[in-house]
């Protein structure tokens, strides 16, 4: 540092300071001049096309950065002297560092927008965005200044020992400053990370805990970054330090990418993911895997030195092939699941609730494909996950033969140890393959009966009409009687008074049945009209007449009730009488009141007042 101050005269120091001042001033002036255009872009585009507004305002910020570069170049050109002089080289380095810092600042500002919440990409409040903008600038600026000093000392003629000693002295200070930045702004960054956690998911709580406690990894990372810089000064090899810097840049870029994808997809609130959401997830997986490969290469080759670049080349090729395969497999699964979910959403299951009005509501059984779709989705997911996992492991250079053998032995052990479970699964496979039932159908399984509400690989769920839910393992199902398949014939008896005109009754019932066949409510259900079969019995001074009709097995009891109701409304006008009950013992009539007893109360009553 003393050598740097000694060799840098006052004139050169002024010009170098002028590069910084002129560049920052030019950027400020252009940003101020374009503030109205930026506001207009927000007002016009953010409501309908927020991404277009984001890129439009980002372009305006880039113009301010171009102004910084132009102003810095102009001042650097007026320094005079040889291009290889110390002052000119230092000025060039300062300008590059300034552009690098302000370039990151443009990106951070585009995502945070402290003064324009309507155009903010990061899901944070305005005060939090303002503090995070300062923190991120410090995260970029502090290592940049440390690296600038390390590169500037050799230019001034300092020896390697002097440069190493200077780095050992000031690097702990910069590392401590970065650790302070992480600790001071840990809650603000946690708010950013936690806001991007999906509202649903199996590991949502784990993600929230990781986002809330990110600062632990941050403190460890910047401590190791300082150690790597000191190690580079001692060994005169900056490979580890550059590896840590690459990891830092990759993590920052990944954070910004995830924030942008969260902003793009956060409007999707439907339970069923749309095609755009599926594509976004595939792109997100690709970027995450690519970032993981970069971090692994920087860690293994540059930081730890566990492999040379030539040795790592084979692993890098395998990792990229594995990542491409993983993305392809994941994309195939997501699009397959998207099609299955779309079919499930377009074909809702019939409700097992029987509390509704059965005269108006007809339960429709699900199709065979709709019944099997949840099970097919689970089987497809497991098959794709296992096959894809083995393929990815194979491309990473891992021998998968022992894994396949271990899975085979494990499956054999499970099959011997859980014979009842295997029997249930195998029985369920055959029941499903034979299309013995579908969701929404009414079945009888020997011991219990009810509407099929769902099933798994092992058991069947039946909802009784009284509300009980029966869960029956497939291995315990001796047979299945399906009351809701193809067609059903309903026969019922009605008692009529003795002497009823049977022929008139037959013609009237036939007319009622043909009328019901032509009505839109019953036309798709009735297959054969209501008709009279004849007299089946004579007892208790009444005729027992049998009726029947053929209908689709959706809700035949509703048709029966409607037919009986129409007969009840039609028959009395035609002289057709229903049977009345007869009593085995006569019911005594009420005895008449004697005339004398009736006259006594009348005499005792007071006369009415004259009107």
């Amino acid at each position: 540092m003393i050598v740097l101050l000694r060799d840098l005269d006052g004139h050169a120091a002024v010009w170098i300071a002028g590069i910084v001042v002129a560049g920052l001033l030019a950027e400020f002036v252009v940003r101020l001049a374009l503030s109205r255009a930026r506001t207009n872009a927000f007002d016009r585009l953010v409501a309908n096309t927020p991404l277009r507004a984001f890129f439009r305002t980002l372009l305006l910020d880039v113009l301010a950065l171009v102004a910084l570069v132009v102003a810095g170049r102009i001042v650097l050109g007026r320094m005079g002297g040889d291009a290889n002089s110390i002052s000119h080289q230092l000025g060039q380095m300062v300008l590059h560092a300034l552009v690098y810092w302000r370039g990151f600042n443009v990106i951070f500002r585009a995502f945070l927008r402290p003064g324009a919440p309507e155009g903010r990409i990061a899901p944070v409040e305005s005060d939090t965005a303002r503090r995070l903008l300062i923190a991120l600038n410090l995260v970029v600026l502090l290592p940049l200044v440390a690296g600038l000093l390390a590169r500037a000392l050799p230019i001034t003629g300092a020896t390697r020992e002097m440069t190493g000693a200077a780095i050992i002295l000031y690097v702990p200070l910069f590392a401590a400053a970065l650790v302070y930045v992480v600790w001071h702004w840990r809650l603000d960054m946690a708010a950013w990370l936690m806001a991007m956690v999906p509202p649903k998911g199996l590991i949502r709580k784990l993600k929230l805990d990781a986002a809330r406690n990110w600062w632990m990894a941050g403190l460890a990372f910047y401590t190791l970054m300082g150690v790597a810089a000191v190690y580079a000064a001692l060994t005169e090899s900056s490979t580890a330090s550059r590896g840590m810097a690459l990891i830092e840049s990759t993590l920052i870029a990944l954070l910004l990418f995830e924030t942008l994808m969260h902003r793009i997809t956060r409007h999707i609130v439907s339970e069923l993911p749309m095609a755009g959401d599926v594509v976004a997830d595939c792109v997100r997986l690709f970027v995450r895997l690519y970032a993981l490969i970069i971090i692994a290469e920087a860690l293994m080759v540059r930081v730890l030195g566990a492999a040379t670049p030539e040795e790592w080349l084979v692993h890098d090729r395998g990792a990229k092939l594995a990542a491409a395969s993983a993305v392809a497999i994941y994309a195939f699964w997501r699009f397959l699941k998207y099609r299955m979910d779309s079919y499930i959403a377009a074909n809702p299951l019939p409700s097992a609730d029987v509390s509704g009005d059965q005269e108006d509501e007809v339960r429709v059984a699900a199709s065979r494909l709709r019944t099997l779709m949840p099970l097919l989705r689970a089987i497809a997911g497991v098959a794709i996950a296992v096959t894809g996992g083995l393929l990815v492991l194979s491309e990473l250079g891992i021998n998968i033969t022992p894994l396949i053998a271990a899975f085979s032995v494990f499956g054999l052990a499970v099959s011997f140890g859980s014979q009842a479970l295997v029997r249930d699964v195998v029985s369920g496979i055959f029941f499903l393959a034979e299309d013995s039932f579908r969701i929404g159908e009414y079945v009888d399984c020997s011991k219990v009966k009810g509407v099929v509400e769902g099933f798994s690989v092992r058991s069947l769920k039946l909802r009784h009409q009284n509300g009980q839910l029966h869960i029956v393992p497939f291995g315990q199902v001796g047979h299945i009687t399906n009351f809701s398949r193809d067609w059903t014939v309903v026969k019922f008896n009605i008692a009529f008074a003795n002497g009823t005109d049977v022929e008139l009754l037959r013609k009237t019932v036939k007319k009622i049945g043909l009328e019901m066949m032509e009505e839109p409510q019953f036309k798709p259900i009735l297959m054969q009209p209501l008709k009279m079969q004849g007299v089946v019995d004579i007892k208790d001074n009444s005729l027992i007449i049998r009726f029947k009709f053929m209908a689709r097995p959706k809700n035949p009891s509703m048709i029966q009730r409607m037919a009986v109701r129409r007969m009840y409304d039609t028959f009395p006008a035609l002289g057709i009488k229903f049977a009345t009950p007869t009593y085995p013992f006569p019911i005594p009539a009420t005895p008449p009141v004697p005339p004398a007893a009736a006259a006594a109360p009348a005499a005792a009553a007071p006369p009415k007042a004259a009107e």
Side-chain angles (χ1 to χ4, degrees):
M1 186 67 66
I2 298 175
V3 174
L4 177 62
L5 296 176
R6 181 192 64 194
D7 295 342
L8 189 64
D9 56 8
H11 183 267
V14 170
W15 280 106
I16 292 175
I19 293 174
V20 178
V21 174
L24 295 178
L25 183 60
E27 181 189 14
F28 175 77
V29 170
V30 174
R31 186 185 299 276
L32 186 63
L34 296 176
S35 60
R36 183 178 297 275
R38 188 183 300 106
T39 303
N40 293 335
F42 279 138
D43 295 338
R44 287 186 295 104
L45 301 176
V46 73
N48 300 323
T49 56
L51 288 181
R52 187 177 176 184
F54 167 75
F55 288 110
R56 180 73 62 85
T57 53
L58 179 60
L59 179 60
L60 296 178
D61 291 337
V62 170
L63 293 178
L65 182 63
V66 171
L68 181 147
V69 175
V70 172
R73 280 291 181 184
I74 292 175
V75 177
L76 181 63
R78 293 184 174 274
M79 286 182 62
D82 188 6
N84 296 324
S85 62
I86 296 177
S87 59
H88 198 279
Q89 292 184 39
L90 291 177
Q92 190 79 16
M93 293 174 55
V94 169
L95 179 59
H96 288 170
L98 182 63
V99 173
Y100 183 84
W101 168 43
R102 300 311 295 175
F104 269 98
N105 179 73
V106 167
I107 298 175
F108 295 150
R109 187 179 296 274
F111 276 80
L112 294 171
R113 295 293 175 195
E118 64 278 3
R120 185 176 302 134
I121 302 297
V124 294
E125 301 294 334
S126 297
D127 294 338
T128 304
R130 190 174 296 107
R131 293 191 295 267
L132 284 173
L133 184 60
I134 299 174
L136 291 174
N137 275 278
L138 290 175
V139 167
V140 174
L141 185 59
L142 290 174
L144 187 64
V145 173
L148 179 63
L149 292 176
R151 292 190 303 272
L153 288 174
I155 295 176
T156 61
T159 62
R160 292 182 178 180
E161 292 77 9
M162 296 175 60
T163 303
I167 292 175
I168 293 174
L169 289 176
Y170 70 74
V171 159
L173 300 178
F174 284 95
L178 289 171
V179 168
Y180 173 78
V181 170
V182 171
W183 175 257
H184 186 74
W185 282 282
R186 67 188 186 281
L187 299 180
D188 298 318
M189 182 56 69
W192 185 347
L193 297 176
M194 292 173 63
M196 293 193 300
V197 176
K200 296 181 180 180
L202 297 177
I203 56 174
R204 168 177 166 77
K205 188 176 184 303
L206 181 62
K207 291 181 178 179
L208 289 175
D209 291 339
R212 189 180 297 109
N213 300 314
W214 74 273
W215 55 271
M216 297 182 182
L219 295 178
F221 177 82
Y222 283 111
T223 302
L224 292 176
M225 195 172 183
V227 173
V230 173
Y231 176 79
L234 293 175
T235 60
E236 299 181 358
S237 174
S238 60
T239 304
S241 181
R242 289 198 301 268
M244 296 296 292
L246 179 60
I247 294 175
E248 180 192 31
S249 301
T250 304
L251 292 176
I252 293 176
L254 183 61
L255 171 64
L256 298 179
F257 170 78
E258 292 286 349
T259 304
L260 182 62
M261 295 302 295
H262 175 266
R263 180 64 177 83
I264 293 174
T265 59
R266 71 179 181 181
H267 65 282
I268 302 177
V269 296
S270 174
E271 292 290 335
L272 176 65
M274 295 185 288
D277 192 20
V278 175
V279 174
D281 286 343
C282 295
V283 174
R284 187 182 287 116
L285 177 63
F286 173 77
V287 174
R288 289 175 180 176
L289 292 178
Y290 188 75
L292 183 61
I293 292 173
I294 295 176
I295 294 175
E297 187 271 337
L299 187 64
M300 299 299 295
V301 177
R302 303 188 182 188
V303 178
L304 299 178
T308 62
E310 293 76 15
E311 294 173 346
W312 180 257
L313 187 61
V314 179
H315 300 288
D316 183 71
R317 186 181 298 110
K320 290 180 179 178
L321 288 176
S325 301
V327 172
I329 294 169
Y330 180 75
F332 173 72
W333 160 241
R334 284 303 305 270
F335 278 103
L336 181 63
K337 183 175 180 294
Y338 166 70
R339 295 300 303 167
M340 290 181 173
D341 291 343
S342 300
Y343 181 83
I344 291 175
N347 300 271
L349 291 175
S351 174
D353 184 15
V354 295
S355 62
D357 187 0
Q358 297 296 329
E359 293 186 0
D360 298 331
E361 299 178 3
V362 178
R363 182 185 297 111
V364 180
S367 64
R368 185 180 185 184
L369 181 60
R370 177 61 183 86
T371 299
L372 296 176
M373 187 60 71
L375 185 60
L376 293 176
R377 182 177 58 183
I379 294 174
V382 173
I384 292 174
V386 173
T387 306
L390 293 176
L391 179 62
V392 170
L393 292 176
S394 176
E395 291 178 347
L396 288 174
I398 300 175
N399 187 10
I400 62 174
T401 303
L403 294 177
I404 297 176
F407 282 127
S408 301
V409 173
F410 178 75
L412 187 62
V414 170
S415 63
F416 279 111
S418 305
Q419 296 183 13
L421 177 62
V422 174
R423 182 184 62 182
D424 294 338
V425 173
V426 174
S427 300
I429 291 175
F430 282 102
F431 276 125
L432 295 175
E434 295 170 357
D435 194 20
S436 302
F437 56 85
R438 299 176 185 175
I439 293 179
E441 293 182 337
Y442 189 87
V443 298
D444 183 359
C445 295
S446 302
K447 297 181 181 180
V448 294
K449 61 180 65 175
V451 178
V452 179
E453 190 173 86
F455 59 90
S456 63
V457 180
R458 174 184 169 272
S459 61
L460 175 66
K461 295 180 180 180
L462 298 179
R463 178 72 67 176
H464 193 266
Q465 56 265 29
N466 294 332
Q468 300 92 333
L469 179 64
H470 301 289
I471 301 177
V472 186
F474 284 117
Q476 298 181 11
V477 178
H479 72 277
I480 291 181
T481 303
N482 196 325
F483 293 92
S484 303
R485 188 62 58 86
D486 300 331
W487 51 267
T488 183
V489 175
V490 179
K491 298 180 180 181
F492 59 95
N493 299 334
I494 298 179
F496 292 89
N498 195 10
T500 298
D501 189 345
V502 178
E503 183 64 20
L504 178 61
L505 176 62
R506 184 188 66 82
K507 293 181 179 179
T508 305
V509 171
K510 181 179 180 181
K511 181 180 178 182
I512 293 175
L514 293 176
E515 289 176 353
M516 292 180 66
M517 284 283 293
E518 297 300 325
E519 294 182 9
Q521 181 181 2
F522 305 106
K523 189 174 183 179
I525 306 175
L526 277 170
M527 301 178 67
Q528 291 183 5
L530 173 71
K531 59 183 179 181
M532 187 186 79
Q533 283 192 291
V535 180
V536 297
D537 198 2
I538 300 175
K539 63 179 180 179
D540 296 336
N541 199 27
S542 62
L543 297 177
I544 308 299
I545 309 295
R546 178 168 294 173
F547 304 89
K548 79 167 187 176
F549 63 88
M550 180 184 290
R552 300 188 185 279
K554 295 180 180 179
N555 197 348
S557 61
M558 181 266 293
I559 301 176
Q560 178 182 346
R561 289 194 298 269
M562 185 59 66
V564 172
R565 178 179 175 180
R566 293 194 179 189
M567 288 190 288
Y568 179 81
D569 294 337
T570 305
F571 289 169
L574 300 176
I576 302 174
K577 297 181 180 180
F578 295 95
T580 56
T582 58
Y583 299 96
F585 303 101
I587 301 175
T590 304
V593 181
K608 291 184 178 181
E611 296 181 359

